Amino acid sequence: MIRMRFLLLALALVPLLSARAAGTAIDLAGAGWTFTVDPTDRGESVGWSRPDPEWDGAKAHPRAGWDEVTVPHDFLTDPRYAYTGVAWYRRSFAVPADIPVGQVWRLQFATVFQRCRVWLNGEFIGAHEGGYTPFEFAVTSHMRPGRQNFLVVAVDNRVKFRALPGARSGGTPNSAQYPWLNYGGILGGVRLIAHAPVWIAGQKIETQLQTDGSAEVTVRVALRNESAAARHLTIAAELIDEKGGRLPVTLAGERSLAPQADGTVVLRGTVPAGAYAPWELDAPRLYRSRVVMDGYAHEAVFGFRSLAMRDGRFLLNGRPVRLAGANRARGHPVHGGIDPDTLVDQDLSLMKAAGLRFARLQHTAPGRNLLEWADRNGMLLILEVGMWGYIAPDQASEELRAQFRAEMRELIEFSWNHPSVVGWSLGNEYESWKPEGVAWTRDMAQFVKALDATRPVTFAALGKALRELRAETPPAAPGGHAFDHVDFISANIYFRVADVVPHLDPVHARWPEKPVFITEYGLRADRVKSEQERLEHFDAMLALVRERPWICGLSYWSFNDYASRYPGTGDDGYRRWGLVDEFRRPRALYEHVKAAVARGFDGDPGQP
């Protein structure tokens, strides 16, 4: 596996920005791709990664009997294929001849599910595993300006053992798969960029609000020198509000870079009180950090806000948060695994209209469009990778641990400037009560904190974890329980409502300083006598939350119905947990939740 990274600051897929014309961007999404499935995985051995021998690059590569598709593309839900396995995408594209000598080229993908191999002009350039986060490859030595270039991507969406997501240890039918579909293909954008060989690879922006109203700002700037000469660089940053005004703070620094070297410069400053507005749920103010180095500029969006866990409360900008939410399952009957802007806007607008603004949201990394919507419109998100349901032998596996670290690093570096992201989850419904689960939680919490210490960590505990805790005699010593190693406690609650309190109250009694978040609860619409049963269940859950101010939120499973092959799925192929159906048509429960949440969490002075 080859991954291209720059320090701890992997480049996110951002527009090519510059104080001057920094280079060229070539959008490779859309039409022009050819496609075929490869059920026997013989494509590489029969030459599909190479252009036809007679092709000279003067014109587009011939289609040669391949189908035509438009990227983004999901071959699992494309009715021509409905396919699981290895599949191939190919295209040629023109590159201008007037690209300045010495320019650096990078090939960027928004998301490819679940693993891929990539070739350019017949040469292998790298592989990637992890179906939801962006990645890129250095391709300078492979480019051919002034002619057509030939790009090939082999994608594999098969369910693998101990992948993320993947099959788990055990011999039961449900251990062989996960509950959502393995949407396969190039599910997001693709582009090439070219720019000067000394450049800004990314930013990490941290803000800390002070008691006097000022804000400390730290901007960590990742630099890259791919030239053959050493460089001494002067770096400056300005912070800009949404209306174009510049904040009164000076951020500047210097750094020398050896040839072919990475480096980081840390810029710090203080924004005085009254000069900025904090990012709030009902006033989500955003700013841009514009870093300039030798004429090259890089911009990143951020917000001023603080997070803290104190006295059993989840604090946003010093005030306790108590909010409802809903967990969104990826997938749509028309779009499949592709998440276009229109669908993201539809889903999150429906959530916000119902007051559902705090959620773990989904079991996988969201796209940039979803994060940007949440930033602009005021939602709180806890993010995780597809570490779902793994049992003790899996959690002890060095292979799974390594893959988790790789994917979690990508997720964190991709998301860390988004103010809507307020927590990292270490996984969902794993065997946290066993020694391997405690070790996983401890080790991965330390790993995540080393990458980003500004956000709290948690994991979504299976209900059995609460049963095991209640039956624990004597209680485990400090450090002996997975909940010891997180900043707030999250639990998926599918008990009878009468059993919730006897299992949840002991959690607060043992960890009174940690807020509790009900990350999943609900009833399936196709497993109740009537929708009224779901309405009453929601009311009962909301009532017990209102009585417990240490519960910072509850998030319904799920926002939408979703397709699945998992055991217990309905005969129509859907798991009908949703407040809305797969076409986003609201059920009676959606309207009921909307009305109930509008009344707020009674008696909580911190309710936004």
Side-chain angles (χ1 to χ4, degrees):
M1 180 186 305
I2 299 173
R3 296 175 187 272
M4 182 181 179
R5 294 178 47 254
F6 299 99
L7 311 176
L8 297 180
L9 293 167
L11 179 78
L13 297 183
V14 295
L16 189 60
L17 300 165
S18 176
R20 63 168 186 254
T24 301
I26 301 175
D27 187 0
L28 299 178
W33 292 84
T34 60
F35 175 84
T36 191
V37 298
D38 184 10
T40 58
D41 195 10
R42 295 179 61 245
E44 186 174 4
S45 66
V46 297
W48 288 353
S49 62
R50 302 185 298 273
D52 293 348
E54 64 275 13
W55 184 64
D56 61 5
K59 296 181 179 179
H61 190 276
R63 176 177 159 185
W66 289 50
D67 287 341
E68 295 180 344
V69 298
T70 299
V71 166
H73 177 252
D74 173 20
F75 56 73
L76 183 72
T77 53
D78 186 325
R80 292 175 291 179
Y81 311 109
Y83 173 72
T84 289
V86 177
W88 292 71
Y89 295 85
R90 310 199 308 182
R91 70 162 299 155
S92 60
F93 57 93
V95 176
D98 58 352
I99 301 297
V101 176
Q103 291 278 283
V104 169
W105 286 90
R106 286 141 57 217
L107 175 63
Q108 301 178 329
F109 294 86
T111 178
V112 179
F113 192 87
Q114 178 171 4
R115 57 197 64 85
C116 67
R117 294 165 288 156
V118 183
W119 294 261
L120 185 58
N121 293 319
E123 299 176 319
F124 180 71
I125 61 171
H128 181 263
E129 179 163 358
Y132 301 101
T133 47
F135 59 96
E136 67 172 33
F137 301 105
V139 294
T140 303
S141 63
H142 304 279
M143 294 298 297
R144 300 175 183 176
R147 58 181 296 182
Q148 293 277 330
N149 287 245
F150 187 62
L151 175 63
V152 180
V153 184
V155 182
D156 182 359
N157 73 329
R158 289 175 293 183
V159 177
K160 296 288 189 178
F161 183 52
R162 289 179 179 162
L164 295 171
R168 300 163 289 161
S169 296
T172 62
N174 67 0
S175 66
Q177 53 191 310
Y178 43 88
W180 60 98
L181 290 185
N182 54 324
Y183 299 109
I186 302 176
L187 302 180
V190 185
R191 73 171 189 171
L192 272 158
I193 63 171
H195 54 73
V198 183
W199 50 285
I200 298 169
Q203 301 182 54
K204 182 185 181 185
I205 306 161
E206 299 175 358
T207 63
Q208 186 171 2
L209 309 189
Q210 305 298 306
T211 55
D212 65 358
S214 65
E216 300 293 327
V217 180
T218 302
V219 182
R220 290 180 169 83
V221 184
L223 308 172
R224 174 67 176 161
N225 178 12
E226 292 197 14
S227 72
R231 294 288 300 273
H232 184 78
L233 304 169
T234 300
I235 300 97
E238 55 186 4
L239 307 182
I240 306 167
D241 67 24
E242 293 173 304
K243 297 180 180 179
R246 289 166 172 77
L247 301 188
V249 60
T250 300
L251 299 169
E254 297 182 8
R255 178 65 194 261
S256 294
L257 286 181
Q260 302 297 320
D262 300 330
T264 300
V265 63
V266 180
L267 311 179
R268 291 189 172 93
T270 301
V271 181
Y276 72 95
W279 186 91
E280 303 277 7
L281 280 166
D282 293 322
R285 189 71 172 271
L286 296 174
Y287 294 83
R288 288 180 292 131
S289 170
R290 189 171 192 268
V291 180
V292 179
M293 175 208 68
D294 192 26
Y296 185 99
H298 181 280
E299 294 192 2
V301 176
F302 73 101
F304 290 90
R305 61 111 177 88
S306 65
L307 301 171
M309 309 293 114
R310 188 180 306 126
D311 300 326
R313 304 293 192 275
F314 192 114
L315 304 180
L316 172 66
N317 299 334
R319 295 187 301 277
V321 169
R322 298 191 77 203
L323 290 170
N327 298 286
R328 178 179 185 259
R330 190 173 185 135
H332 186 274
V334 175
H335 305 295
I338 300 166
D339 233 4
D341 294 348
T342 52
L343 180 59
V344 167
D345 180 72
Q346 179 185 26
D347 285 358
L348 271 62
S349 294
L350 282 166
M351 288 186 195
K352 185 177 178 182
L356 304 173
R357 304 174 71 179
F358 190 11
R360 201 174 86 252
L361 202 66
Q362 54 195 55
H363 297 324
T364 59
R368 179 171 295 278
N369 54 0
L370 191 151
L371 295 177
E372 290 176 347
W373 197 103
D375 289 345
R376 292 191 308 269
N377 293 277
M379 294 187 75
L380 304 182
L381 308 178
I382 301 163
L383 303 189
E384 70 184 22
V385 299
M387 197 281 179
W388 175 83
Y390 282 105
I391 65 175
D394 302 317
Q395 294 169 78
S397 161
E398 287 304 319
E399 178 186 16
L400 185 69
R401 283 170 158 254
Q403 187 60 33
F404 177 86
R405 290 188 180 101
E407 293 193 30
M408 198 70 190
R409 181 187 293 274
E410 288 185 340
L411 171 61
I412 291 172
E413 293 176 350
F414 167 60
S415 309
W416 58 20
N417 290 328
H418 291 275
S420 58
V421 179
V422 297
W424 307 116
S425 171
L426 308 176
N428 180 50
E429 296 185 343
Y430 58 82
E431 288 188 337
S432 61
W433 57 92
K434 294 189 175 180
E436 294 86 350
V438 175
W440 175 281
T441 308
R442 179 196 64 228
D443 296 347
M444 298 312 165
Q446 292 173 356
F447 171 77
V448 167
K449 289 288 190 179
L451 293 175
D452 178 27
T454 70
R455 292 175 175 86
V457 298
T458 190
F459 70 93
L462 192 64
K464 187 173 180 180
L466 306 189
R467 294 190 181 96
E468 293 288 328
L469 179 69
R470 189 181 181 195
E472 192 177 78
T473 305
H481 196 285
F483 290 157
D484 292 324
H485 303 290
V486 296
D487 299 303
F488 67 102
I489 295 169
S490 299
N492 296 347
I493 303 291
Y494 293 103
F495 304 136
R496 293 184 308 125
V497 173
D499 294 331
V500 173
V501 170
H503 286 88
L504 207 53
D505 282 4
V507 174
H508 175 62
R510 183 159 165 182
W511 293 276
E513 76 284 3
K514 298 184 180 186
V516 172
F517 187 21
I518 299 176
T519 37
E520 293 183 25
Y521 71 103
L523 297 177
R524 273 178 65 164
D526 56 351
R527 299 294 172 86
V528 295
K529 295 178 180 178
S530 71
E531 186 76 350
Q532 182 62 32
E533 188 176 339
R534 299 214 301 163
L535 272 56
E536 293 171 358
H537 177 266
F538 170 81
D539 288 343
M541 289 293 294
L542 185 60
L544 68 87
V545 170
R546 282 174 167 153
E547 295 170 354
R548 290 163 176 78
W550 43 270
I551 299 179
C552 61
L554 71 168
S555 189
Y556 200 85
W557 186 269
S558 57
F559 167 69
N560 57 291
D561 293 348
Y562 54 99
S564 175
R565 303 188 189 96
Y566 198 68
T569 296
D571 292 343
D572 58 359
Y574 279 87
R575 299 180 74 83
R576 299 207 172 275
W577 291 91
L579 302 174
V580 302
D581 71 10
E582 66 272 25
F583 290 102
R584 279 48 178 182
R585 293 174 296 211
R587 292 193 171 95
L589 180 57
Y590 172 86
E591 300 297 342
H592 184 81
V593 167
K594 181 177 181 180
V597 171
R599 295 192 289 271
F601 290 80
D602 295 344
D604 179 15
Q607 171 63 20

